[in-house]
Amino acid sequence: MKNSLSIRTYTKRFNSHVHAGYHQLVLPIQGNIHIDMNGFVGRVNVGECVVIPKSVLHGFNADEAARFIVADLDQLPPHLISDKLAVFQVSPPLLSFIHFVDKQLLFQVDSEVEASMLTTFALLLKQQELAQAVDPRIHAVQVLINEQLADSLTINSLAEVSFLSPTQFKKLFKENIGMSPLKYITEKRMEKAKALLTHTDLPVHLIAERVGYSDLSAFSRRFSTYFGISPREFARC
């Protein structure tokens, strides 16, 4: 079996089959796919990935207008092979990458670029955590948080996005994500700040603003508590 990335479309007609010699990952980039596998019946949407292990019977159908990046792979990272439902939330870097794959595959045939894309795809897969897809209302909040880290993100405003009361929202978020909304926001802000300090030459005060801190001292204290080193010291490392 040759590992490959390809663009696929499916039909509304329900089909089922088994991949005897390889694993398959299906990542929607437009629309969604209906999957029936291992007792799970549901839809996999943009921002999610379904892992179909080799030799596992699965049924599927989709609207003809939907489009997917499909990875056929000899091997998977061990943590993505599970008896549990293998649907996980795609990280922002992987989501952006599969859209690049879509554009590249539509643009030209280039074996060197395609080999490089497979290597990068495999590396990004290693960073993924296997988890059942979260409630769509919570996923919408995650997307907003990741896109608007520089903004004021309050429980009330996020609850409005999820169409829940603040109390219901906090409870459902923790059930789905395993941490409180505020802890999740802090984690994402600190991860982005670390990336900006590592990969850009932006001054610390601008990085603080880009991750939602108008007070540089508050940002420095939070970063120091989170990583055990001040942002200025980290930037000099």
Side-chain angles (χ1 to χ4, degrees), residues 98-184:
I98 64 171
H99 282 286
F100 162 74
V101 170
D102 176 48
K103 300 300 183 186
Q104 176 61 32
L105 294 178
L106 289 172
F107 177 68
Q108 66 179 166
V109 176
D110 188 313
S111 59
E112 290 186 7
V113 173
E114 290 166 25
S116 177
M117 290 193 303
L118 271 169
T119 299
T120 302
F121 183 80
L123 291 171
L124 291 170
L125 276 184
K126 290 181 181 180
Q127 299 177 359
Q128 297 296 310
E129 294 182 359
L130 182 63
Q132 185 169 338
V134 302
D135 186 288
R137 294 167 293 183
I138 299 304
H139 178 57
V141 171
Q142 285 182 289
V143 171
L144 181 140
I145 290 171
N146 289 324
E147 292 179 347
Q148 300 183 18
L149 285 174
D151 298 340
S152 175
L153 298 169
T154 66
I155 293 298
N156 286 342
S157 64
L158 297 176
E160 288 180 7
V161 173
S162 67
F163 299 101
L164 297 167
S165 72
T167 300
Q168 292 172 323
F169 164 66
K170 289 189 291 185
K171 181 175 184 293
L172 187 61
F173 191 97
K174 189 164 187 178
E175 287 175 353
N176 278 259
I177 307 302
M179 66 181 77
S180 71
L182 294 181
K183 185 175 181 181
Y184 180 84

Side-chain angles (χ1 to χ4, degrees), residues 189-204:
R189 282 175 166 162
M190 293 301 102
E191 288 176 357
K192 182 171 182 178
K194 184 179 181 181
L196 290 172
L197 286 165
T198 301
H199 300 302
T200 76
D201 60 358
L202 289 171
V204 173

Side-chain angles (χ1 to χ4, degrees), residues 5-229:
L5 294 168
S6 60
I7 302 168
R8 303 275 182 89
T9 58
Y10 300 102
T11 68
K12 293 180 180 178
R13 179 181 177 183
F14 187 78
N15 292 288
S16 61
H17 59 217
V18 170
H19 307 137
Y22 58 94
H23 307 286
Q24 187 172 87
L25 278 65
V26 180
L27 301 100
I29 51 177
Q30 180 177 302
N32 56 57
I33 186 168
H34 176 85
I35 293 287
D36 186 340
M37 180 180 69
N38 285 343
F40 166 77
V41 179
R43 293 193 177 278
V44 181
N45 301 292
V46 174
E48 300 172 345
C49 174
V50 58
V51 181
I52 304 170
K54 65 177 66 175
S55 302
V56 170
L57 178 66
H58 56 284
F60 57 93
N61 66 342
D63 189 276
E64 287 86 349
R67 195 165 78 253
F68 310 88
I69 294 296
V70 173
D72 293 333
L73 303 171
D74 289 331
Q75 296 182 329
L76 290 175
H79 71 289
L80 292 186
I81 301 176
S82 171
D83 292 333
K84 299 178 181 180
L85 173 63
V87 177
F88 60 81
Q89 295 294 316
V90 174
S91 69
L94 181 54
L95 184 59
S96 295
F97 180 71
I98 64 171
H99 282 286
F100 162 74
V101 170
D102 176 48
K103 300 300 183 186
Q104 176 61 32
L105 294 178
L106 289 172
F107 177 68
Q108 66 179 166
V109 176
D110 188 313
S111 59
E112 290 186 7
V113 173
E114 290 166 25
S116 177
M117 290 193 303
L118 271 169
T119 299
T120 302
F121 183 80
L123 291 171
L124 291 170
L125 276 184
K126 290 181 181 180
Q127 299 177 359
Q128 297 296 310
E129 294 182 359
L130 182 63
Q132 185 169 338
V134 302
D135 186 288
R137 294 167 293 183
I138 299 304
H139 178 57
V141 171
Q142 285 182 289
V143 171
L144 181 140
I145 290 171
N146 289 324
E147 292 179 347
Q148 300 183 18
L149 285 174
D151 298 340
S152 175
L153 298 169
T154 66
I155 293 298
N156 286 342
S157 64
L158 297 176
E160 288 180 7
V161 173
S162 67
F163 299 101
L164 297 167
S165 72
T167 300
Q168 292 172 323
F169 164 66
K170 289 189 291 185
K171 181 175 184 293
L172 187 61
F173 191 97
K174 189 164 187 178
E175 287 175 353
N176 278 259
I177 307 302
M179 66 181 77
S180 71
L182 294 181
K183 185 175 181 181
Y184 180 84
I185 292 168
T186 298
E187 180 179 279
K188 295 303 176 185
R189 282 175 166 162
M190 293 301 102
E191 288 176 357
K192 182 171 182 178
K194 184 179 181 181
L196 290 172
L197 286 165
T198 301
H199 300 302
T200 76
D201 60 358
L202 289 171
V204 173
H205 74 276
L206 286 182
I207 290 175
E209 292 175 3
R210 291 197 179 187
V211 296
Y213 289 85
S214 57
D215 186 328
L216 179 57
S217 296
F219 168 68
S220 295
R221 288 195 299 273
R222 177 67 71 181
F223 190 94
S224 298
T225 300
Y226 201 85
F227 292 112
I229 184 174

